[in-house]
Amino acid sequence: MFQKKQIIYSETLGACVVDNIVSLAASKREKPVPYYVLKPVFEDKVSYIPVAHHQVVLREMFTIKEALEIKETKQYEKDKHLKQAVDYVLDKVAIK
């Protein structure tokens, strides 16, 4: 389970901040289900993704080594979200 304020990678949103983890129910009769509240780093929107049984690939942010390896692939050039996330990791390291 990801933690609040953690930066993660979503295959559909790119680099995201886990802004919060909330419990939501479809109706008053339904049991609340925990959701990640994700805010993409490069877009001004919010997405709610179920903590369990989500269909979107969520993972911890790339390491520097992984980012450098991904940067050498064709997928890096084709996928806007992947490119932004890899560049985010590499730019963050360059600042240090």
Side-chain angles (χ1 to χ4, degrees):
M1 184 169 182
F2 300 115
Q3 303 301 311
K4 193 173 175 182
K5 303 301 175 198
Q6 184 177 356
I7 307 259
I8 65 170
Y9 177 74
S10 161
E11 71 176 346
T12 57
L13 301 168
C16 295
V17 175
V18 178
D19 189 56
N20 207 349
I21 301 169
V22 298
S23 291
L24 302 172
S27 70
K28 291 182 181 180
R29 290 186 229 156
E30 304 258 342
K31 182 179 177 184
V33 176
Y35 279 79
Y36 292 120
V37 180
L38 300 181
K39 288 190 175 181
V41 173
F42 299 103
E43 296 179 35
D44 189 28
K45 66 180 182 178
V46 175
S47 291
Y48 292 81
I49 308 289
V51 170
H53 309 294
H54 51 267
Q55 295 179 357
V56 175
V57 174
L58 302 176
R59 58 159 284 166
E60 290 190 17
M61 187 50 79
F62 310 116
T63 64
I64 298 163
K65 182 180 177 185
E66 290 171 329
L68 289 170
E69 289 172 0
I70 293 168
K71 192 169 183 171
E72 301 300 319
T73 67
K74 290 182 180 181
Q75 187 178 1
Y76 170 82
E77 292 299 329
K78 292 180 180 180
D79 186 333
K80 174 183 112 176
H81 295 301
L82 180 64
K83 185 176 188 330
Q84 287 175 333
V86 167
D87 291 347
Y88 174 81
V89 170
L90 297 176
D91 289 346
K92 188 175 177 184
V93 171
I95 293 170
K96 291 183 179 179

